[in-house]
Amino acid sequence: VYSANDLKAMTAIVHPQVLIMTVDSTGNIINPLTGIEISSIYDALIKINGKVIPAFRVADEETAVTVATQLKTYDIDDVFLFSNNSVAIQEARKVYSMLRGVLIIDYDNQTPVLSEEHLINIRNQVNNAGAIAALLPKEYVSRYNVEYLQRRLVSVFSDVSNGEDIDQYRAVL
């Protein structure tokens, strides 16, 4: 979500299945590029009205716990928490076990290609975080990598938000 209009668009007939919203340390949804506040979590949930699965991206443990506490209060059962901080996912799930964690894997310029050892490490990180999935950057999305992780019971999401159409196509296949 980059603006309030993105939230309004969720009432359209055609919309995404999952809506990822970035939450700042005050517990508000912000534009991830500018840091400008868009909405409270509560107001965003009202606006999307159950039309999409809410997902919240957090950077730290304190924010993760804030989000988890609010979602538990609102009794939101179908929800994701995205973070590259495994402890944040763990702490949030202690507060609200219904959260489905997604561990964000950052691209490393020093590792342009993932080896089997790297993939096993990703699986271990996801499991240690108590997450159900890994979010791979477009550079790591390949049929081999996705199938390898899926065979080891790790769901894979693909971050192609800054990619081209071909990246989105590859992510689906």
Side-chain angles (χ1 to χ4, degrees):
V1 170
Y2 294 94
S3 71
N5 288 334
D6 292 343
L7 290 174
K8 290 177 190 169
M10 295 308 107
T11 59
I13 293 173
V14 177
H15 51 74
Q17 181 179 6
V18 177
L19 180 67
I20 302 174
M21 299 169 270
T22 302
V23 180
D24 69 5
S25 61
T26 65
N28 288 308
I29 296 168
I30 60 166
N31 178 312
L33 301 177
T34 64
I36 295 173
E37 184 179 321
I38 297 171
S39 174
S40 69
I41 291 174
Y42 179 79
D43 288 342
L45 292 170
I46 295 297
K47 285 178 186 169
I48 64 175
N49 193 28
K51 303 260 187 220
V52 294
I53 299 169
F56 299 93
R57 180 186 294 129
V58 300
D60 57 67
E61 297 91 0
E62 185 178 330
T63 305
V65 168
T66 298
V67 170
T69 302
Q70 287 187 48
L71 294 171
K72 185 175 183 178
T73 300
Y74 306 144
D75 200 28
I76 306 296
D77 292 339
D78 200 6
V79 63
F80 290 102
L81 183 80
F82 284 70
S83 185
N84 59 0
N85 181 333
S86 60
V87 176
I89 295 170
Q90 292 169 347
E91 293 302 312
R93 293 196 77 245
K94 284 180 188 175
V95 171
Y96 192 42
S97 62
M98 296 300 291
L99 284 173
R100 290 179 278 168
V102 179
L103 185 64
I104 299 170
I105 305 300
D106 295 316
Y107 180 71
D108 181 358
N109 288 326
Q110 303 298 316
T111 312
V113 177
L114 296 177
S115 66
E116 187 171 332
E117 183 179 335
H118 291 113
L119 291 166
I120 288 294
N121 188 33
I122 289 171
R123 184 216 47 197
N124 291 342
Q125 290 175 43
V126 169
N127 288 339
N128 290 339
I132 63 157
L135 175 68
L136 296 181
K138 68 179 182 186
E139 295 87 353
Y140 291 153
V141 174
S142 70
R143 184 175 184 153
Y144 177 82
N145 289 349
V146 171
E147 287 181 354
Y148 186 93
L149 290 168
Q150 287 176 337
R151 282 194 307 270
R152 283 146 187 87
L153 304 179
V154 174
S155 295
V156 178
F157 288 37
S158 305
D159 184 359
V160 294
S161 57
N162 293 328
E164 299 178 20
D165 289 345
I166 189 69
D167 296 318
Q168 294 175 13
Y169 178 75
R170 267 192 221 114
V172 173
L173 296 179

